[in-house]
Amino acid sequence: MNFVERLARSEARNDSLLCVGLDPDPAKFPAAWRGDAGRIYDFCARIVDATRDLVLAFKPQIAYFAAHRAEDQLERLMAHLRHVAPEVPVILDAKRGDIGATAEQYASEAFERYRADAVTLSPFMGFDSIEPFLRHAEKGALLLCRTSNPGGDELQAQRLQGDGTAPGERLYERIARLANGAWNRNGQLGLVVGATYPAELARVRELAPGLPLLVPGVGAQGGDVAATVAAGWRANAPIIVNSSRAVLYASSDHDFAEAARRVALATRAELNAARALRR
């Protein structure tokens, strides 16, 4: 079963568009564990156990593990995910982008070491930086397109050269066209588009009508749920709406996992209500 098929089954099984991002910051852990990087696995595993029946996907961010020399804990977490939620796709948020043998090593890291179902990639270096990931036939690759941060305007919103009669398309539009067309040779590509830019999200959906879209920016970043679903969700065209901090740090006390579940339930319900209006 490939990544897109796993997404469709997970959405139906858990009735969810919600992706919980696993961005463990020991400085924000509950009081008894605060500052203890040795508890990264324990914290994330508790979040997973509390939300595994509510989510479309999980998205561990590799930097939060690597910064604390906790890659071994990430491996344990990935094994735990496979054990307790084998039906839920896991996206490794790594934003890799290199060419040749280096890209092959990054692909091996994501898909063989960590056994992720998909990985986030930067397309800045072109197709030959993406192709090694596509050799893993059942896996997905989600390309940065129109990201949720304001600084994305500095490159992603810039216009390319036109034909002299009309301005050229914007860079994010070119990425969406390539991902939907020439680059998507085996149907493995998706795009990352921020919830903080619903108009651009709608434009990407227009250019890539069937691709999965990973949509960060709901929750702590303030993206609007209803606008996100209206712009990006279509039947048979999944959106993976990520919330990290709002779920992970819903409580700073011993009840953090229970609080995370309450926020996840509320976010899933809000997403589903918005989706119901589109059906």
Side-chain angles (χ1 to χ4, degrees):
M1 187 189 313
N2 64 32
F3 173 62
V4 175
E5 292 168 338
R6 285 177 60 79
L7 279 176
R9 291 196 180 191
S10 183
E11 179 180 347
R13 181 183 291 107
N14 286 348
D15 190 26
S16 184
L17 302 176
L18 174 64
C19 174
V20 169
L22 300 170
D23 302 359
D25 181 353
K28 298 179 180 178
F29 283 1
W33 294 352
R34 191 159 300 150
D36 185 356
R39 292 289 193 169
I40 285 176
Y41 167 80
D42 297 319
F43 178 81
C44 290
R46 289 278 302 276
I47 296 291
V48 166
D49 291 346
T51 61
R52 63 188 182 185
D53 60 327
L54 305 178
V55 301
L56 169 61
F58 286 108
K59 183 178 70 64
Q61 164 50 260
I62 195 170
Y64 283 86
F65 296 84
H68 298 284
R69 296 182 172 88
E71 292 94 336
D72 59 332
Q73 295 186 68
L74 177 55
E75 289 186 82
R76 289 177 60 202
L77 178 63
M78 297 296 270
H80 183 69
L81 284 160
R82 292 288 174 235
H83 178 67
V84 303
E87 71 286 351
V88 176
V90 180
I91 301 163
L92 184 67
D93 194 357
K95 299 181 177 71
R96 302 304 194 199
D98 213 322
I99 56 173
T102 304
E104 291 174 9
Q105 296 304 309
Y106 280 139
S108 177
E109 173 196 45
F111 299 140
E112 296 176 19
R113 180 183 182 186
Y114 293 120
R115 298 178 60 202
D117 296 294
V119 64
T120 58
L121 302 177
S122 169
F124 183 74
M125 294 182 73
F127 181 71
D128 51 350
S129 68
I130 295 161
E131 187 275 334
F133 294 86
L134 305 184
R135 298 175 199 167
H136 297 258
E138 300 302 310
K139 305 297 187 178
L142 302 170
L143 309 185
L144 302 181
C145 182
R146 183 60 178 101
T147 55
S148 60
N149 60 308
D153 279 343
E154 296 170 11
L155 291 177
Q156 298 159 14
Q158 298 305 302
R159 288 196 181 275
L160 304 177
Q161 184 175 355
D163 62 4
T165 62
E169 62 190 347
R170 298 186 187 275
L171 179 57
Y172 81 84
E173 294 174 316
R174 175 67 61 87
I175 294 168
R177 287 185 193 278
L178 288 168
N180 191 62
W183 285 3
N184 200 18
R185 298 176 180 179
N186 301 310
Q188 294 168 260
L189 294 182
L191 295 163
V192 181
V193 189
T196 46
Y197 295 97
E200 287 92 333
L201 175 58
R203 177 58 175 156
V204 170
R205 177 51 82 205
E206 179 184 355
L207 294 169
L211 295 193
L213 303 181
L214 173 60
V215 186
V218 166
Q221 293 187 59
D224 182 81
V225 166
T228 295
V229 174
W233 183 84
R234 303 290 184 271
N236 302 315
I239 56 172
I240 309 157
V241 182
N242 185 78
S243 181
S244 299
R245 286 170 288 171
V247 174
L248 298 185
Y249 308 116
S251 171
S252 59
D253 210 337
H254 61 86
D255 67 339
F256 73 93
E258 293 81 2
R261 181 173 179 83
R262 288 194 295 272
V263 172
L265 272 167
T267 307
R268 183 183 70 162
E270 190 176 2
L271 286 164
N272 285 352
R275 180 180 57 181
L277 296 176
R278 302 291 304 175
R279 285 176 162 164

